Amino acid sequence: MLPQQPLSGKRFLVTRPEGQGDRLVEGIRKLGGRAQHIPFLVIKPADDLSGLAKIAGQLDCYRACIFISANAVNVAWPMLSATHPNGWPNLVVAATIGPGTADVLKAHGIPQVVHPASRFDSEGLLAEAFFQADLCQGQAFALIRGEGGRDFLAQSLRDRGARVDEVAVYQRYLHPAALQNLKTWLAEGERDGAAPGTLLISSSESLQGIMSSGDAELAATLKHCPLLAPHPRIAETARQLGFSHVAVSDGGDAGMLRYLQTYNEDNLA
């Protein structure tokens, strides 16, 4: 049987954007940990959403509408759902790369949601039977994403003979209070004589932004913190930035919390 409070005495920093950290904070505290939420990024709608309006107006023509993240769903949903009496055309599948975003889509009442069973990335989604090459040939897909990021998914579908209409619906910015709040959190740990707290990083962009915007002292201090990421690609980014104590959990908040049930930062590699 797992201990009642496996995280007792341990400090954790949740770095998801505003409004997206409550589940992790609550879960960590239930496990006995000391959790604080400091958003590293601000998510804002893109300046031009005309491409999204075009997709919304022809949503019925797509085999699937793919959402790259929960942020993509949150920004796009009001416009997409407003164009259909029932909020979503029954014959159009929604797809995404992660279980957290799948939960958001299901909460909106979308009847069919495709997502990977294990590998939560573009490669995992493309491996699903729904996206096998002969079923993509001649089909149209909508891809809703943020600005920047990989083009692998869209290009892979085009290589399989599909048409892909993609639109960036949100932008990411470094949160204006992130650096100062982070310094305060680190200082509080030093004052209490606690071991370096563990960073929960769910975005490579957020970590890169912090490390490039802070001063050398902050960067050096952060590199001593253990770091937990929900995907190997994020973990690899952390290692390239100089973090040496890095662990990888399953995807989404649920995957991170499952990992933390038996967490021991001394075993990170």
Side-chain angles (χ1 to χ4, degrees):
M1 179 180 295
L2 293 176
Q4 291 289 321
Q5 300 283 293
L7 302 183
S8 180
K10 295 181 171 65
R11 300 172 74 239
F12 297 87
L13 185 65
V14 175
T15 63
R16 288 192 181 278
E18 288 181 357
Q20 299 178 28
D22 291 351
R23 184 180 181 187
L24 273 176
V25 169
E26 180 181 357
I28 291 169
R29 289 174 178 170
K30 285 182 177 179
L31 294 172
R34 297 164 56 192
Q36 185 170 336
H37 182 204
I38 297 177
F40 279 6
L41 294 180
V42 175
I43 306 297
K44 293 183 178 180
D47 295 330
D48 182 4
L49 293 177
S50 58
L52 177 62
K54 183 177 180 180
I55 287 175
Q58 58 186 23
L59 194 55
D60 300 85
C61 81
Y62 297 110
R63 172 169 168 79
C65 184
I66 306 168
F67 298 86
I68 210 67
S69 66
N71 293 317
V73 179
N74 294 335
V75 173
W77 183 255
M79 188 177 294
L80 293 178
S81 61
T83 59
H84 296 273
N86 298 323
W88 189 265
N90 289 331
L91 297 181
V92 178
V93 171
T96 188
I97 61 176
T101 307
D103 288 343
V104 174
L105 290 166
K106 292 173 184 176
H108 283 302
I110 298 178
Q112 300 181 74
V113 179
V114 173
H115 65 92
S118 55
R119 180 172 177 172
F120 304 126
D121 55 17
S122 297
E123 289 84 349
L125 182 62
L126 290 167
E128 291 295 305
F130 181 87
F131 288 99
Q132 64 187 51
D134 60 329
L135 297 179
C136 292
Q137 180 71 39
Q139 298 291 329
F141 295 87
L143 177 59
I144 314 295
R145 57 176 178 80
E147 292 184 352
R150 303 168 74 207
D151 193 43
F152 175 80
L153 181 55
Q155 189 55 53
S156 295
L157 289 172
R158 291 178 181 126
D159 291 343
R160 297 180 184 189
R163 187 187 95 225
V164 181
D165 297 336
E166 56 181 319
V167 60
V169 300
Y170 65 91
Q171 310 166 74
R172 309 172 186 87
Y173 299 97
L174 184 68
H175 195 291
L179 291 175
Q180 185 55 53
N181 289 340
L182 181 56
K183 290 178 181 178
T184 300
W185 180 77
L186 291 168
E188 288 172 349
E190 292 180 2
R191 186 177 64 244
D192 295 342
T198 299
L199 307 176
L200 274 61
I201 303 294
S202 55
S203 161
S204 296
E205 292 86 354
S206 69
L207 187 61
Q208 290 168 330
I210 286 291
M211 295 297 284
S212 63
S213 300
D215 55 38
E217 182 179 358
L218 175 63
T221 301
L222 283 176
K223 291 175 186 179
H224 290 292
C225 292
L227 186 149
L228 176 62
H231 193 278
R233 191 173 295 113
I234 303 173
E236 180 57 29
T237 296
R239 294 188 183 101
Q240 291 175 355
L241 289 170
F243 288 82
S244 57
H245 302 291
V246 180
V248 182
S249 71
D250 290 335
D253 292 348
M256 297 182 92
L257 290 171
R258 280 195 301 272
Y259 185 93
L260 290 173
Q261 289 177 1
T262 55
Y263 177 68
N264 184 349
E265 65 268 28
D266 294 332
N267 294 331
L268 298 185

